Amino acid sequence: MNLKVCWMYHDIMDLYGDKGNMMVLKKRCLDRGIDFTLDTCGIGQERDLSDYDLIFLGGGADKEQISLIPDLLARKENIKKAMDENTFILLICGGYQLFGQYYIAADGQKIEGLKFYDYYTDTGAQKSRCIGNIVIDANLDGIQTKIVGFENHGGQTLNVSKPLGKVLYGCGNSFDSGFEGFYDGKILGTYLHGPLLPKNPVVADFVIYKALKKRNPNLKFEDLKPLDSGFESKARQTLFDRFHIEN
């Protein structure tokens, strides 16, 4: 098997170590004997996104998001084609926001999104931010897991119909929502940086599984060869203990 990934706007949307997500996917694929191909897609670069098993778009500041919007919107039909052909999409922070209706930047500027989903992102009152460690309880197609990470966002994402998980510690989509991220089977969007996948091997393997299903529709999650995640488990347990959360 081969996992083919396109990392969009890798040169400007790489906030808080999002590169680590790609490093983890590559390592966990190669450890299973799964070939891993990583391509990047910058502004103005030609790519047929439907040719990939996974599309990744990370986080960036307002300036970076504004700079890529014309290019991103020009790719809307191609992204829709990829989604229709079962390309899985992983979105972190700014990437997550841009698949919604719009995002209001800290200076009040309205950044139009791809409008694939009804959620939208307003700016925090008096430029307040959600900052700190976060733990959520998520159900990924029947796989129950706690997801840990770090959030740092002024944007408050509202009208989220299908959240990724319930907040156990931290803020989430907005200060008082009680829920974090978005997951509908096609995309997984979240504010969890840190980066996300090194801290959450189950999520990393789930992303691999969802991406591989594009060309291997009969694949089951349990078909993935188990890997030793002892180091990650110890790191996660430290956080659970700190926040008095049962694993």
Side-chain angles (χ1 to χ4, degrees):
M1 287 190 289
N2 176 53
L3 183 64
K4 192 174 181 182
V5 183
C6 184
W7 181 5
M8 297 187 69
Y9 311 116
H10 62 292
D11 50 347
I12 57 176
M13 297 290 276
D14 183 24
L15 199 60
Y16 303 124
D18 284 335
K19 180 181 180 180
N21 292 316
M22 297 297 96
M23 295 171 66
V24 166
L25 290 182
K26 180 178 180 178
K27 180 68 165 61
R28 294 184 79 84
C29 280
L30 296 182
D31 283 352
R32 293 183 167 103
I34 299 170
D35 292 333
F36 185 87
T37 302
L38 177 61
D39 292 337
T40 56
C41 180
I43 293 175
Q45 190 171 6
E46 290 189 13
R47 285 278 187 262
D48 180 1
L49 298 172
S50 66
D51 188 43
Y52 293 90
D53 306 308
L54 175 68
I55 294 171
F56 173 61
L57 178 52
D62 290 353
K63 179 181 178 181
E64 283 76 21
Q65 290 193 53
I66 292 170
S67 70
L68 65 81
I69 283 298
D71 187 86
L72 180 68
L73 295 182
R75 300 180 191 270
K76 181 173 181 177
E77 290 304 315
N78 191 224
I79 296 173
K80 179 65 164 55
K81 182 173 183 287
M83 294 169 67
D84 289 344
E85 295 181 6
N86 297 320
T87 295
F88 194 61
I89 299 179
L90 176 62
L91 306 167
I92 307 294
C93 199
Y96 166 34
Q97 294 170 345
L98 293 173
F99 269 60
Q101 295 293 304
Y102 60 83
Y103 165 58
I104 304 297
D107 62 1
Q109 183 174 351
K110 185 176 182 180
I111 303 172
E112 295 295 335
L114 289 165
K115 305 184 187 300
F116 287 136
Y117 298 100
D118 291 335
Y119 65 77
Y120 58 91
T121 304
D122 204 345
T123 190
Q126 298 176 336
K127 297 186 178 181
S128 54
R129 302 182 67 82
C130 298
I131 304 178
N133 290 301
I134 179 170
V135 182
I136 68 174
D137 192 18
N139 187 305
L140 302 172
D141 294 356
I143 303 165
Q144 199 72 31
T145 184
K146 290 182 175 64
I147 306 176
V148 301
F150 183 86
E151 60 181 341
N152 184 356
H153 55 101
Q156 304 292 290
T157 299
L158 308 170
N159 199 36
V160 180
S161 60
K162 297 179 179 179
L164 172 62
K166 181 179 179 181
V167 174
L168 302 178
Y169 184 91
C171 293
N173 286 324
S174 60
F175 286 113
D176 56 359
S177 70
F179 293 92
E180 203 283 327
F182 179 91
Y183 174 68
D184 71 340
K186 294 183 176 181
I187 78 164
L188 191 160
T190 178
Y191 277 114
L192 273 63
H193 288 284
L196 171 71
L197 300 184
K199 295 181 177 180
N200 300 283
V202 171
V203 180
D205 286 348
F206 182 75
V207 170
I208 291 171
Y209 154 72
K210 292 291 286 187
L212 288 174
K213 277 184 72 69
K214 175 170 182 171
R215 303 181 205 276
N216 304 274
N218 295 323
L219 183 73
K220 299 178 181 178
F221 182 75
E222 52 267 28
D223 292 335
L224 292 181
K225 174 186 173 183
L227 300 177
D228 180 9
S229 300
F231 183 81
E232 294 90 336
S233 296
K234 290 179 181 179
R236 288 163 55 80
Q237 190 60 54
T238 299
L239 288 174
F240 294 146
D241 292 344
R242 181 184 301 173
F243 306 135
H244 308 290
I245 294 172
E246 291 187 9
N247 187 6

Coordinates of all heavy atoms in Angstrom, one line a residue, residues 178-240:
G178 N -18.1 24.0 25.1 CA -18.0 22.7 25.7 C -17.6 21.6 24.7 O -17.4 20.4 25.1
F179 N -17.4 22.0 23.4 CA -17.0 21.0 22.4 C -15.8 21.6 21.6 O -15.6 22.8 21.5 CB -18.2 20.7 21.5 CG -19.3 20.0 22.2 CD1 -20.3 20.6 22.8 CD2 -19.2 18.6 22.3 CE1 -21.3 19.9 23.5 CE2 -20.2 17.9 22.9 CZ -21.3 18.5 23.5
E180 N -15.1 20.7 20.9 CA -13.9 21.1 20.2 C -13.9 20.4 18.8 O -14.3 19.3 18.6 CB -12.6 20.7 20.9 CG -11.4 21.5 20.6 CD -10.8 21.2 19.2 OE1 -10.8 20.0 18.9 OE2 -10.2 22.0 18.5
G181 N -13.5 21.2 17.8 CA -13.2 20.7 16.5 C -14.5 20.3 15.7 O -15.6 20.6 16.1
F182 N -14.2 19.6 14.6 CA -15.3 19.2 13.7 C -14.9 17.9 13.0 O -13.7 17.8 12.6 CB -15.5 20.3 12.6 CG -16.6 20.0 11.6 CD1 -17.9 20.3 11.8 CD2 -16.3 19.3 10.4 CE1 -18.9 20.0 10.9 CE2 -17.3 18.9 9.5 CZ -18.6 19.3 9.8
Y183 N -15.8 17.0 12.9 CA -15.5 15.7 12.2 C -16.8 15.2 11.6 O -17.8 15.0 12.3 CB -14.9 14.7 13.2 CG -14.8 13.3 12.5 CD1 -13.9 13.2 11.5 CD2 -15.6 12.2 12.8 CE1 -13.7 12.0 10.8 CE2 -15.5 11.0 12.2 CZ -14.5 10.9 11.2 OH -14.4 9.7 10.5
D184 N -16.8 14.9 10.3 CA -18.0 14.4 9.7 C -17.7 13.2 8.8 O -18.5 12.8 8.0 CB -18.6 15.5 8.8 CG -17.8 15.8 7.6 OD1 -16.6 15.5 7.6 OD2 -18.3 16.4 6.6
G185 N -16.6 12.6 9.0 CA -16.2 11.4 8.2 C -15.3 11.8 7.0 O -14.6 10.9 6.5
K186 N -15.5 13.0 6.5 CA -14.7 13.5 5.4 C -13.5 14.4 5.8 O -12.4 14.3 5.2 CB -15.6 14.3 4.4 CG -16.7 13.5 3.7 CD -17.4 14.3 2.7 CE -18.5 13.5 2.0 NZ -19.2 14.3 1.0
I187 N -13.7 15.2 6.8 CA -12.7 16.1 7.3 C -12.6 16.0 8.8 O -13.6 15.7 9.5 CB -12.8 17.6 6.9 CG1 -13.9 18.2 7.7 CG2 -13.2 17.7 5.4 CD1 -13.9 19.7 7.7
L188 N -11.4 16.2 9.3 CA -11.2 16.3 10.7 C -10.5 17.6 10.9 O -9.4 17.9 10.5 CB -10.3 15.2 11.2 CG -10.2 15.0 12.8 CD1 -9.8 13.6 13.1 CD2 -9.3 16.0 13.4
G189 N -11.2 18.6 11.6 CA -10.7 19.9 11.8 C -10.6 20.1 13.3 O -11.5 19.7 14.1
T190 N -9.5 20.7 13.8 CA -9.3 20.9 15.2 C -8.4 22.1 15.5 O -7.6 22.5 14.6 CB -8.7 19.7 15.8 OG1 -8.5 19.9 17.2 CG2 -7.4 19.3 15.1
Y191 N -8.5 22.7 16.7 CA -7.6 23.7 17.1 C -6.4 23.2 17.8 O -5.5 23.9 18.3 CB -8.3 24.7 18.1 CG -9.1 25.7 17.4 CD1 -10.5 25.8 17.5 CD2 -8.5 26.7 16.6 CE1 -11.3 26.8 16.8 CE2 -9.2 27.7 15.9 CZ -10.6 27.7 16.1 OH -11.4 28.7 15.4
L192 N -6.3 21.9 18.0 CA -5.2 21.3 18.8 C -3.9 21.3 18.0 O -3.7 20.6 17.0 CB -5.6 19.8 19.2 CG -6.4 19.7 20.5 CD1 -7.7 20.4 20.3 CD2 -6.5 18.3 20.9
H193 N -3.0 22.1 18.6 CA -1.6 22.2 18.1 C -0.7 21.3 19.0 O -1.2 20.5 19.7 CB -1.1 23.6 18.2 CG -1.7 24.5 17.2 ND1 -1.3 24.6 15.9 CD2 -2.6 25.5 17.3 CE1 -1.9 25.5 15.2 NE2 -2.7 26.1 16.1
G194 N 0.6 21.5 18.9 CA 1.4 20.9 19.9 C 2.6 20.1 19.4 O 3.5 20.0 20.1
P195 N 2.6 19.4 18.2 CA 1.5 19.2 17.2 C 0.6 18.1 17.7 O 0.9 17.4 18.7 CB 2.3 18.9 16.0 CG 3.5 18.2 16.4 CD 3.9 18.9 17.7
L196 N -0.5 17.9 16.9 CA -1.5 17.0 17.3 C -1.1 15.5 17.3 O -1.3 14.8 18.3 CB -2.7 17.2 16.3 CG -3.8 16.2 16.4 CD1 -4.6 16.4 17.7 CD2 -4.8 16.3 15.2
L197 N -0.5 15.0 16.3 CA -0.4 13.6 16.1 C 0.7 12.9 16.9 O 0.5 11.8 17.4 CB -0.2 13.3 14.6 CG -1.3 13.7 13.7 CD1 -1.1 13.3 12.2 CD2 -2.7 13.2 14.2
P198 N 1.8 13.6 17.3 CA 2.8 12.9 18.1 C 2.2 12.6 19.5 O 2.6 11.6 20.1 CB 3.9 13.9 18.2 CG 3.8 14.7 17.0 CD 2.4 14.8 16.7
K199 N 1.3 13.4 20.0 CA 0.7 13.2 21.3 C -0.5 12.2 21.3 O -1.0 11.7 22.3 CB 0.2 14.5 21.9 CG 1.3 15.5 22.2 CD 0.6 16.8 22.8 CE 1.7 17.8 23.1 NZ 1.1 19.0 23.7
N200 N -1.0 11.9 20.1 CA -2.2 11.1 19.9 C -2.0 10.0 18.9 O -2.5 10.1 17.8 CB -3.4 12.0 19.6 CG -3.6 13.1 20.7 OD1 -4.2 12.8 21.7 ND2 -3.1 14.3 20.4
P201 N -1.3 8.9 19.2 CA -1.1 7.9 18.2 C -2.4 7.2 17.7 O -2.4 6.8 16.5 CB -0.3 6.8 19.0 CG -0.4 7.1 20.4 CD -0.7 8.6 20.5
V202 N -3.4 7.2 18.5 CA -4.7 6.6 17.9 C -5.2 7.5 16.8 O -5.7 7.0 15.8 CB -5.7 6.5 19.1 CG1 -7.1 6.1 18.5 CG2 -5.3 5.4 20.0
V203 N -5.1 8.8 17.0 CA -5.6 9.8 16.0 C -4.7 9.7 14.8 O -5.2 9.7 13.6 CB -5.6 11.2 16.6 CG1 -6.1 12.2 15.5 CG2 -6.5 11.3 17.8
A204 N -3.4 9.6 15.0 CA -2.5 9.4 13.8 C -2.9 8.2 13.0 O -2.9 8.2 11.8 CB -1.1 9.3 14.3
D205 N -3.1 7.1 13.7 CA -3.4 5.8 13.0 C -4.8 5.9 12.3 O -5.0 5.4 11.2 CB -3.4 4.6 13.9 CG -2.0 4.2 14.3 OD1 -1.0 4.7 13.6 OD2 -1.8 3.4 15.2
F206 N -5.7 6.7 13.0 CA -7.0 6.9 12.4 C -7.0 7.7 11.1 O -7.6 7.3 10.1 CB -8.0 7.6 13.4 CG -9.4 7.7 12.9 CD1 -10.2 6.7 12.8 CD2 -9.8 9.0 12.4 CE1 -11.6 6.8 12.4 CE2 -11.1 9.1 12.0 CZ -12.0 8.1 11.9
V207 N -6.1 8.7 11.1 CA -5.9 9.5 9.9 C -5.3 8.6 8.8 O -5.8 8.7 7.6 CB -5.0 10.7 10.2 CG1 -4.7 11.4 8.9 CG2 -5.8 11.7 11.1
I208 N -4.4 7.8 9.1 CA -3.8 6.9 8.1 C -4.8 6.0 7.6 O -4.9 5.7 6.3 CB -2.6 6.1 8.8 CG1 -1.4 7.0 9.1 CG2 -2.2 4.9 7.9 CD1 -0.3 6.4 9.9
Y209 N -5.6 5.4 8.5 CA -6.7 4.4 8.1 C -7.7 5.1 7.1 O -8.0 4.6 6.1 CB -7.3 3.9 9.3 CG -8.8 3.5 9.2 CD1 -9.1 2.3 8.5 CD2 -9.8 4.2 9.7 CE1 -10.4 1.9 8.4 CE2 -11.1 3.8 9.6 CZ -11.4 2.7 8.9 OH -12.7 2.3 8.8
K210 N -8.1 6.3 7.5 CA -9.2 7.0 6.7 C -8.6 7.3 5.3 O -9.3 7.3 4.3 CB -9.6 8.3 7.4 CG -10.4 8.0 8.6 CD -11.8 7.4 8.3 CE -12.8 8.4 7.7 NZ -14.1 7.9 7.6
A211 N -7.3 7.7 5.2 CA -6.7 8.1 4.0 C -6.5 6.8 3.1 O -6.7 6.8 1.9 CB -5.3 8.7 4.2
L212 N -6.1 5.7 3.7 CA -5.8 4.5 2.9 C -7.1 3.9 2.4 O -7.1 3.2 1.3 CB -5.2 3.4 3.8 CG -3.7 3.7 4.2 CD1 -3.2 2.6 5.2 CD2 -2.8 3.7 2.9
K213 N -8.2 4.2 3.0 CA -9.5 3.7 2.6 C -9.9 4.2 1.2 O -10.8 3.6 0.5 CB -10.6 4.0 3.6 CG -10.7 3.0 4.7 CD -11.8 3.3 5.7 CE -13.2 2.9 5.0 NZ -13.3 1.4 4.9
K214 N -9.3 5.3 0.8 CA -9.7 5.8 -0.6 C -9.4 4.8 -1.6 O -10.2 4.6 -2.5 CB -8.9 7.1 -0.9 CG -9.1 7.6 -2.3 CD -8.5 9.0 -2.5 CE -8.8 9.5 -3.9 NZ -8.5 10.9 -4.2
R215 N -8.3 4.1 -1.5 CA -7.9 3.1 -2.6 C -8.1 1.7 -2.0 O -7.9 0.7 -2.8 CB -6.5 3.3 -3.0 CG -6.3 4.7 -3.6 CD -4.9 5.0 -4.1 NE -4.5 6.4 -4.1 CZ -4.8 7.2 -5.0 NH1 -5.5 6.8 -6.1 NH2 -4.5 8.5 -4.9
N216 N -8.4 1.6 -0.7 CA -8.6 0.2 -0.1 C -9.9 0.3 0.7 O -9.9 0.3 1.9 CB -7.4 -0.1 0.8 CG -6.1 0.0 0.0 OD1 -5.6 -1.0 -0.6 ND2 -5.4 1.1 0.1
P217 N -11.0 0.3 0.0 CA -12.3 0.5 0.7 C -12.7 -0.5 1.7 O -13.5 -0.2 2.6 CB -13.3 0.6 -0.5 CG -12.7 -0.1 -1.6 CD -11.2 0.2 -1.5
N218 N -12.1 -1.7 1.6 CA -12.5 -2.8 2.5 C -11.6 -2.8 3.8 O -11.7 -3.6 4.7 CB -12.4 -4.1 1.9 CG -13.5 -4.3 0.8 OD1 -14.6 -3.8 0.9 ND2 -13.1 -4.9 -0.3
L219 N -10.6 -1.9 3.8 CA -9.7 -1.8 5.0 C -10.4 -1.5 6.3 O -11.3 -0.6 6.3 CB -8.6 -0.7 4.7 CG -7.5 -0.6 5.7 CD1 -6.6 -1.8 5.7 CD2 -6.8 0.7 5.6
K220 N -10.1 -2.1 7.3 CA -10.6 -1.9 8.7 C -9.5 -1.3 9.5 O -8.3 -1.6 9.3 CB -11.2 -3.1 9.3 CG -12.3 -3.8 8.5 CD -12.8 -5.0 9.2 CE -13.9 -5.7 8.4 NZ -14.3 -7.0 9.0
F221 N -9.9 -0.5 10.5 CA -8.9 0.1 11.4 C -8.0 -0.9 12.0 O -6.8 -0.7 12.2 CB -9.6 1.0 12.5 CG -8.7 1.7 13.4 CD1 -8.0 2.8 13.0 CD2 -8.5 1.2 14.7 CE1 -7.1 3.5 13.8 CE2 -7.6 1.8 15.5 CZ -6.9 3.0 15.1
E222 N -8.6 -2.0 12.5 CA -7.8 -3.1 13.1 C -6.9 -3.8 12.2 O -6.1 -4.6 12.7 CB -8.8 -4.1 13.9 CG -9.9 -4.6 13.0 CD -11.2 -3.8 13.1 OE1 -11.1 -2.6 13.3 OE2 -12.2 -4.5 12.9
D223 N -7.0 -3.6 10.9 CA -6.1 -4.2 10.0 C -4.7 -3.5 10.0 O -3.7 -4.1 9.5 CB -6.6 -4.1 8.5 CG -7.8 -4.9 8.3 OD1 -8.0 -5.9 9.0 OD2 -8.6 -4.6 7.4
L224 N -4.6 -2.3 10.6 CA -3.3 -1.7 10.7 C -2.4 -2.4 11.7 O -2.9 -2.8 12.8 CB -3.4 -0.2 11.1 CG -4.1 0.7 10.1 CD1 -4.1 2.1 10.8 CD2 -3.3 0.8 8.8
K225 N -1.2 -2.7 11.3 CA -0.3 -3.4 12.2 C -0.1 -2.6 13.5 O 0.2 -1.4 13.5 CB 1.1 -3.6 11.5 CG 2.2 -4.2 12.4 CD 3.5 -4.2 11.7 CE 4.6 -4.6 12.6 NZ 5.9 -4.6 11.9
P226 N -0.3 -3.2 14.7 CA 0.0 -2.5 16.0 C 1.4 -2.0 16.1 O 2.3 -2.7 15.7 CB -0.4 -3.5 17.0 CG -1.2 -4.5 16.3 CD -0.7 -4.6 14.9
L227 N 1.6 -0.8 16.6 CA 2.9 -0.3 16.9 C 3.1 0.0 18.4 O 2.1 0.2 19.1 CB 3.2 1.0 16.1 CG 3.0 0.9 14.5 CD1 3.2 2.3 13.9 CD2 4.1 -0.1 14.0
D228 N 4.3 0.0 18.8 CA 4.7 0.3 20.2 C 4.5 1.8 20.4 O 5.2 2.6 19.8 CB 6.1 -0.1 20.5 CG 6.5 0.2 22.0 OD1 5.6 0.6 22.8 OD2 7.6 0.1 22.3
S229 N 3.5 2.2 21.2 CA 3.3 3.6 21.5 C 3.5 3.9 23.0 O 2.8 4.8 23.6 CB 1.9 4.1 21.1 OG 1.7 3.9 19.7
G230 N 4.4 3.1 23.6 CA 4.6 3.3 25.1 C 5.1 4.6 25.5 O 4.6 5.2 26.5
F231 N 6.0 5.2 24.8 CA 6.5 6.6 25.1 C 5.4 7.6 25.1 O 5.2 8.4 26.0 CB 7.6 6.9 24.2 CG 8.2 8.3 24.5 CD1 9.2 8.4 25.5 CD2 7.9 9.4 23.8 CE1 9.8 9.6 25.8 CE2 8.5 10.6 24.1 CZ 9.4 10.7 25.1
E232 N 4.6 7.5 24.0 CA 3.4 8.5 23.9 C 2.4 8.3 25.0 O 1.9 9.3 25.5 CB 2.8 8.3 22.5 CG 3.6 8.7 21.3 CD 4.5 7.5 20.8 OE1 4.7 6.6 21.6 OE2 4.8 7.5 19.6
S233 N 2.2 7.0 25.3 CA 1.2 6.7 26.4 C 1.6 7.3 27.7 O 0.8 7.9 28.5 CB 1.0 5.2 26.5 OG 0.4 4.7 25.3
K234 N 2.9 7.2 28.0 CA 3.5 7.8 29.3 C 3.3 9.3 29.3 O 2.9 9.9 30.3 CB 4.9 7.4 29.5 CG 5.1 6.0 29.8 CD 6.6 5.6 29.9 CE 6.8 4.1 30.2 NZ 8.2 3.8 30.4
A235 N 3.6 10.0 28.2 CA 3.4 11.4 28.1 C 2.0 11.8 28.3 O 1.7 12.8 29.0 CB 3.9 11.9 26.7
R236 N 1.1 11.1 27.6 CA -0.4 11.4 27.8 C -0.8 11.2 29.2 O -1.6 12.0 29.8 CB -1.2 10.4 26.8 CG -1.0 10.8 25.4 CD -1.5 9.7 24.5 NE -2.8 9.2 24.8 CZ -3.9 9.8 24.4 NH1 -3.8 10.9 23.6 NH2 -5.1 9.4 24.7
Q237 N -0.3 10.1 29.9 CA -0.8 9.8 31.2 C -0.3 10.9 32.2 O -1.0 11.3 33.1 CB -0.2 8.5 31.7 CG -0.8 8.0 33.0 CD -2.3 7.8 33.0 OE1 -2.8 7.1 32.1 NE2 -3.0 8.5 33.9
T238 N 0.9 11.5 31.9 CA 1.3 12.6 32.7 C 0.3 13.8 32.7 O 0.0 14.4 33.7 CB 2.7 13.1 32.2 OG1 3.6 12.1 32.4 CG2 3.2 14.3 33.0
L239 N -0.2 14.1 31.5 CA -1.2 15.2 31.3 C -2.5 14.8 32.0 O -3.1 15.6 32.7 CB -1.4 15.5 29.9 CG -0.3 16.2 29.2 CD1 -0.5 16.3 27.7 CD2 0.0 17.6 29.8
F240 N -2.9 13.6 31.8 CA -4.2 13.1 32.5 C -4.1 13.3 34.0 O -5.0 13.7 34.7 CB -4.5 11.7 32.1 CG -4.8 11.5 30.6 CD1 -4.4 10.3 30.0 CD2 -5.4 12.4 29.9 CE1 -4.7 10.1 28.7 CE2 -5.7 12.3 28.6 CZ -5.4 11.1 27.9

